[in-house]
PDB file of all heavy atoms in Angstrom:
ATOM      1  N   PHE A 134     122.616 171.091 122.253  1.00  0.00           N
ATOM      2  CA  PHE A 134     122.306 171.373 123.608  1.00  0.00           C
ATOM      3  C   PHE A 134     123.459 172.222 124.172  1.00  0.00           C
ATOM      4  O   PHE A 134     124.615 171.725 124.112  1.00  0.00           O
ATOM      5  CB  PHE A 134     122.037 170.198 124.487  1.00  0.00           C
ATOM      6  CG  PHE A 134     121.578 170.564 125.825  1.00  0.00           C
ATOM      7  CD1 PHE A 134     120.248 170.953 126.070  1.00  0.00           C
ATOM      8  CD2 PHE A 134     122.398 170.636 126.943  1.00  0.00           C
ATOM      9  CE1 PHE A 134     119.785 171.323 127.353  1.00  0.00           C
ATOM     10  CE2 PHE A 134     122.000 171.070 128.151  1.00  0.00           C
ATOM     11  CZ  PHE A 134     120.663 171.398 128.370  1.00  0.00           C
ATOM     12  N   HIS A 135     123.165 173.404 124.684  1.00  0.00           N
ATOM     13  CA  HIS A 135     124.222 174.318 125.135  1.00  0.00           C
ATOM     14  C   HIS A 135     123.973 174.793 126.586  1.00  0.00           C
ATOM     15  O   HIS A 135     124.788 175.536 127.104  1.00  0.00           O
ATOM     16  CB  HIS A 135     124.429 175.438 124.221  1.00  0.00           C
ATOM     17  CG  HIS A 135     124.848 175.061 122.782  1.00  0.00           C
ATOM     18  ND1 HIS A 135     126.048 174.416 122.528  1.00  0.00           N
ATOM     19  CD2 HIS A 135     124.161 175.106 121.671  1.00  0.00           C
ATOM     20  CE1 HIS A 135     126.086 174.141 121.229  1.00  0.00           C
ATOM     21  NE2 HIS A 135     124.962 174.556 120.663  1.00  0.00           N
ATOM     22  N   GLY A 136     122.862 174.351 127.239  1.00  0.00           N
ATOM     23  CA  GLY A 136     122.611 174.780 128.611  1.00  0.00           C
ATOM     24  C   GLY A 136     121.290 175.446 128.804  1.00  0.00           C
ATOM     25  O   GLY A 136     120.489 175.621 127.886  1.00  0.00           O
ATOM     26  N   ARG A 137     121.000 175.830 130.034  1.00  0.00           N
ATOM     27  CA  ARG A 137     119.658 176.288 130.379  1.00  0.00           C
ATOM     28  C   ARG A 137     119.550 177.730 130.741  1.00  0.00           C
ATOM     29  O   ARG A 137     118.438 178.216 131.054  1.00  0.00           O
ATOM     30  CB  ARG A 137     119.176 175.441 131.590  1.00  0.00           C
ATOM     31  CG  ARG A 137     119.116 173.972 131.371  1.00  0.00           C
ATOM     32  CD  ARG A 137     117.948 173.619 130.502  1.00  0.00           C
ATOM     33  NE  ARG A 137     117.770 172.160 130.457  1.00  0.00           N
ATOM     34  CZ  ARG A 137     116.683 171.570 130.029  1.00  0.00           C
ATOM     35  NH1 ARG A 137     115.602 172.266 129.707  1.00  0.00           N
ATOM     36  NH2 ARG A 137     116.598 170.267 129.985  1.00  0.00           N
ATOM     37  N   THR A 138     120.640 178.473 130.840  1.00  0.00           N
ATOM     38  CA  THR A 138     120.576 179.937 131.075  1.00  0.00           C
ATOM     39  C   THR A 138     120.042 180.577 129.787  1.00  0.00           C
ATOM     40  O   THR A 138     120.062 179.915 128.718  1.00  0.00           O
ATOM     41  CB  THR A 138     121.942 180.473 131.458  1.00  0.00           C
ATOM     42  OG1 THR A 138     122.861 180.061 130.467  1.00  0.00           O
ATOM     43  CG2 THR A 138     122.437 179.977 132.829  1.00  0.00           C
ATOM     44  N   TYR A 139     119.603 181.823 129.883  1.00  0.00           N
ATOM     45  CA  TYR A 139     118.911 182.387 128.702  1.00  0.00           C
ATOM     46  C   TYR A 139     119.691 182.388 127.410  1.00  0.00           C
ATOM     47  O   TYR A 139     119.179 181.978 126.379  1.00  0.00           O
ATOM     48  CB  TYR A 139     118.332 183.747 129.013  1.00  0.00           C
ATOM     49  CG  TYR A 139     116.861 183.634 129.247  1.00  0.00           C
ATOM     50  CD1 TYR A 139     116.335 183.512 130.544  1.00  0.00           C
ATOM     51  CD2 TYR A 139     115.956 183.559 128.146  1.00  0.00           C
ATOM     52  CE1 TYR A 139     114.989 183.324 130.701  1.00  0.00           C
ATOM     53  CE2 TYR A 139     114.607 183.407 128.337  1.00  0.00           C
ATOM     54  CZ  TYR A 139     114.114 183.272 129.615  1.00  0.00           C
ATOM     55  OH  TYR A 139     112.810 183.099 129.786  1.00  0.00           O
ATOM     56  N   GLY A 140     120.969 182.762 127.483  1.00  0.00           N
ATOM     57  CA  GLY A 140     121.800 182.802 126.215  1.00  0.00           C
ATOM     58  C   GLY A 140     122.014 181.399 125.701  1.00  0.00           C
ATOM     59  O   GLY A 140     121.823 181.099 124.570  1.00  0.00           O
ATOM     60  N   ALA A 141     122.480 180.507 126.663  1.00  0.00           N
ATOM     61  CA  ALA A 141     122.795 179.095 126.269  1.00  0.00           C
ATOM     62  C   ALA A 141     121.533 178.377 125.841  1.00  0.00           C
ATOM     63  O   ALA A 141     121.513 177.612 124.866  1.00  0.00           O
ATOM     64  CB  ALA A 141     123.440 178.424 127.407  1.00  0.00           C
ATOM     65  N   MET A 142     120.382 178.679 126.503  1.00  0.00           N
ATOM     66  CA  MET A 142     119.133 178.018 126.087  1.00  0.00           C
ATOM     67  C   MET A 142     118.719 178.515 124.668  1.00  0.00           C
ATOM     68  O   MET A 142     118.292 177.747 123.856  1.00  0.00           O
ATOM     69  CB  MET A 142     118.055 178.358 127.116  1.00  0.00           C
ATOM     70  CG  MET A 142     116.683 177.827 126.686  1.00  0.00           C
ATOM     71  SD  MET A 142     115.408 178.419 127.848  1.00  0.00           S
ATOM     72  CE  MET A 142     115.381 180.161 127.531  1.00  0.00           C
ATOM     73  N   SER A 143     118.882 179.809 124.455  1.00  0.00           N
ATOM     74  CA  SER A 143     118.506 180.406 123.172  1.00  0.00           C
ATOM     75  C   SER A 143     119.439 179.791 122.014  1.00  0.00           C
ATOM     76  O   SER A 143     118.993 179.675 120.886  1.00  0.00           O
ATOM     77  CB  SER A 143     118.596 181.907 123.228  1.00  0.00           C
ATOM     78  OG  SER A 143     117.790 182.420 124.239  1.00  0.00           O
ATOM     79  N   ALA A 144     120.649 179.563 122.413  1.00  0.00           N
ATOM     80  CA  ALA A 144     121.602 178.901 121.458  1.00  0.00           C
ATOM     81  C   ALA A 144     121.187 177.461 121.160  1.00  0.00           C
ATOM     82  O   ALA A 144     121.471 176.978 120.071  1.00  0.00           O
ATOM     83  CB  ALA A 144     123.027 178.947 122.022  1.00  0.00           C
ATOM     84  N   THR A 145     120.514 176.807 122.102  1.00  0.00           N
ATOM     85  CA  THR A 145     120.123 175.418 121.925  1.00  0.00           C
ATOM     86  C   THR A 145     119.106 175.267 120.905  1.00  0.00           C
ATOM     87  O   THR A 145     118.037 175.929 120.925  1.00  0.00           O
ATOM     88  CB  THR A 145     119.645 174.898 123.368  1.00  0.00           C
ATOM     89  OG1 THR A 145     120.712 174.836 124.204  1.00  0.00           O
ATOM     90  CG2 THR A 145     119.039 173.502 123.223  1.00  0.00           C
ATOM     91  N   GLY A 146     119.319 174.387 119.943  1.00  0.00           N
ATOM     92  CA  GLY A 146     118.432 174.239 118.780  1.00  0.00           C
ATOM     93  C   GLY A 146     117.356 173.191 119.017  1.00  0.00           C
ATOM     94  O   GLY A 146     117.195 172.298 118.231  1.00  0.00           O
ATOM     95  N   GLN A 147     116.644 173.249 120.139  1.00  0.00           N
ATOM     96  CA  GLN A 147     115.591 172.291 120.443  1.00  0.00           C
ATOM     97  C   GLN A 147     114.392 173.063 121.037  1.00  0.00           C
ATOM     98  O   GLN A 147     114.483 173.664 122.092  1.00  0.00           O
ATOM     99  CB  GLN A 147     116.049 171.271 121.483  1.00  0.00           C
ATOM    100  CG  GLN A 147     117.221 170.471 121.018  1.00  0.00           C
ATOM    101  CD  GLN A 147     117.422 169.212 121.896  1.00  0.00           C
ATOM    102  OE1 GLN A 147     116.515 168.406 122.011  1.00  0.00           O
ATOM    103  NE2 GLN A 147     118.595 169.097 122.472  1.00  0.00           N
TER     104      GLN A 147
END
Side-chain angles (χ1 to χ4, degrees):
F134 188 79
H135 299 295
R137 299 285 188 163
T138 51
Y139 255 95
M142 174 186 70
S143 304
T145 293
Q147 300 196 56

